[in-house]
Amino acid sequence: MRYNLHATDRRPASKRAALFSTLLALSVAFAACGTRTETKGDRYELKGEVVAVDKPAGALVISHEDIPDFMDAMTMPFTLKDPYWLGVAKPGDKVTATLVVDGEESWLEEVVIVSEGAADPDAPAGAATSHEPEPGDPVPNFTLVNQDGEKISLDRYRGRTLVLTFIYTRCPLPDYCPLMTSNFTEIDEELRKDSALGAKTRLLSVSVDPAFDTPKVLRGYGEGHGLKDFGRWEYASGSEGEVKKMAEYFGLQYKEEGGQIIHSLRTAVIGPDGKLVKIYRGNEWKPAEVVELIRG
């Protein structure tokens, strides 16, 4: 709600001041009523700068300061409770908000934007260009290093269906990397129940944080999520250049600045012939969908 007090207002100064005070109080009251209705979940204060606006995902990519008792300073996407801000925020804008974490979901509330950015929110300076292959396209033979320090390439999985996703082990938001890992755990459990399906399927989680996610860290992360046998489900990373090429090939927005990571979410299914079957964007897909797709 907006109120304009024009310079041509002919009320006495005292009355104009009183009117302004009243309208200001009403504005604060409406703002409080409109933004503080959500009470569930753990709540944290977030301060940072908008790096990119991801309208399809309903998220702002924010380079934020340390969030006390929750996460270090980094750059990552945050889902908005109110999509209104997608049309307001621009790269370079300052932002404060409340980060709400509730189970497997997280979002931003009580958003305040201070506009300092470029005019075009869809063309952030320096942002990665998003590209996606089409179903049926042959997937390049990217080379990685797995949790055992073994050099692997995607050709390794020829003859089997490969389901791959992108994560990094320090990601704390429950509906991003941890959710991808949880989804893969469910898929792996279904593959264990169906030995024939399990024999012809492999899972691969690729870290976009190669500097931190060494083979030892990746193995520990997998084991920490209940994985005992890495025969069917592997974790891998690789050189910064190779990981970046792979992420960008699948349309994942990926950028690293000063140890901070920006990345969206992509999960891909690659057929036994090495060609793309399907790409899942974001975090809305369900493990059962992937299992049915593998079954054909």
Side-chain angles (χ1 to χ4, degrees):
M1 180 176 296
R2 294 184 178 179
Y3 298 90
N4 293 317
L5 295 179
H6 299 287
T8 55
D9 193 332
R10 300 184 183 278
R11 295 180 180 87
S14 59
K15 290 188 176 181
R16 290 203 305 269
L19 176 60
F20 179 79
S21 298
T22 301
L23 293 177
L24 179 61
L26 286 172
S27 297
V28 171
F30 279 122
C33 291
T35 59
R36 294 186 178 271
T37 57
E38 189 63 62
T39 59
K40 64 180 180 179
D42 296 322
R43 307 170 75 82
Y44 306 90
E45 182 180 0
L46 178 143
K47 296 180 180 179
E49 180 177 314
V50 177
V51 175
V53 179
D54 189 348
K55 291 184 178 179
L60 296 181
V61 180
I62 298 173
S63 175
H64 64 82
E65 302 173 4
D66 288 347
I67 301 178
D69 302 320
F70 186 62
M71 63 189 294
D72 294 335
M74 63 180 65
T75 303
M76 62 191 309
F78 293 90
T79 302
L80 295 172
K81 189 73 171 179
D82 185 352
Y84 163 80
W85 297 106
L86 295 172
V88 174
K90 302 180 296 297
D93 287 352
K94 304 301 181 184
V95 57
T96 63
T98 297
L99 171 63
V100 183
V101 179
D102 181 40
E104 294 186 351
E105 297 182 340
S106 67
W107 61 87
L108 294 184
E109 293 180 0
E110 302 169 16
V111 176
V112 176
I113 298 289
V114 178
S115 182
E116 297 182 7
D120 184 0
D122 295 319
T129 301
S130 179
H131 160 272
E132 287 186 10
E134 298 290 335
D137 287 351
V139 177
N141 187 33
F142 296 107
T143 300
L144 302 167
V145 178
N146 71 6
Q147 72 286 327
D148 296 323
E150 178 186 1
K151 187 176 181 179
I152 63 173
S153 63
L154 295 193
D155 277 354
R156 167 192 188 95
Y157 305 103
R158 285 291 180 92
R160 295 185 174 93
T161 298
L162 173 65
V163 185
L164 71 85
T165 196
F166 294 90
I167 57 102
Y168 69 104
T169 63
R170 294 186 288 178
C171 177
L173 291 180
D175 48 351
Y176 282 83
C177 304
L179 179 57
M180 298 301 100
T181 300
S182 176
N183 283 350
F184 266 42
T185 298
E186 289 190 39
I187 295 172
D188 189 49
E189 289 173 353
E190 291 301 314
L191 297 178
R192 291 179 186 278
K193 296 175 185 178
D194 187 334
S195 58
L197 191 66
K200 67 177 186 178
T201 307
R202 292 292 181 267
L203 307 177
L204 179 63
S205 295
V206 180
S207 170
V208 294
D209 188 10
F212 183 86
D213 287 339
T214 63
K216 181 178 179 180
V217 170
L218 290 173
R219 172 170 276 276
Y221 182 81
E223 291 174 345
H225 285 81
L227 189 61
K228 296 181 175 63
D229 178 9
F230 290 85
R232 177 168 48 241
W233 178 4
E234 293 188 278
Y235 283 80
S237 192
S239 69
E240 181 179 344
E242 189 74 351
V243 170
K244 188 174 181 65
K245 284 195 302 181
M246 185 176 183
E248 290 180 348
Y249 173 80
F250 286 104
L252 182 139
Q253 295 180 7
Y254 171 74
K255 186 177 181 181
E256 184 172 355
E257 292 182 343
Q260 298 180 337
I261 294 175
I262 305 169
H263 84 96
S264 53
L265 295 173
R266 289 293 186 276
T267 301
V269 179
I270 302 171
D273 58 358
K275 296 181 179 180
L276 180 68
V277 175
K278 186 177 179 66
I279 284 182
Y280 294 93
R281 305 170 186 86
N283 58 8
E284 296 299 321
W285 61 273
K286 304 298 181 185
E289 299 175 44
V290 177
V291 173
E292 287 305 310
L293 182 64
I294 296 170
R295 285 201 173 103

